[in-house]
Amino acid sequence: MPKHTAQYMIDGASAQIEIVEAVPDHGGIKGYFRTLALADFCWEGDPDWPVFVAQVTSVADCMFAEFNNEVEENVTQYIQFKTGGVL
């Protein structure tokens, strides 16, 4: 199965959450990754950066809890922050 890189962010986003399911090889079909949920956030300086990060991670926890399959353990959560420039 190819490795999911989670290297792309939506243009203009300051943070992004992606919930991904790994679908294994089955019946001659090669395994793949399927995006179950995607959310992006734009930080405009208010609230402060640490508050913004806490809000994003709180949403990420809720999203992961919604899609996590504890039996198969095939769901992964990616959280990305774009931190270039002045904070």
Side-chain angles (χ1 to χ4, degrees):
M1 181 179 309
K3 184 176 180 181
H4 188 274
T5 60
Q7 64 184 348
Y8 303 105
M9 284 186 71
I10 294 170
D11 287 339
S14 302
Q16 181 170 299
I17 302 166
E18 189 172 359
I19 308 296
V20 176
E21 177 185 28
V23 179
D25 296 349
H26 181 72
I29 299 172
K30 188 173 181 173
Y32 60 94
F33 290 96
R34 177 172 68 165
T35 298
L36 300 175
L38 179 67
D40 64 303
F41 303 84
C42 296
W43 179 65
E44 296 178 354
D46 187 37
D48 290 337
W49 182 255
V51 174
F52 174 74
V53 170
Q55 291 172 341
V56 170
T57 54
S58 177
V59 171
D61 287 344
C62 292
M63 289 173 64
F64 185 72
E66 183 70 27
F67 290 99
N68 186 26
N69 180 345
E70 294 179 2
V71 175
E72 296 180 21
E73 297 182 354
N74 62 342
V75 175
T76 303
Q77 168 191 54
Y78 295 95
I79 306 172
Q80 301 178 80
F81 292 94
K82 192 177 294 183
T83 59
V86 178
L87 298 178

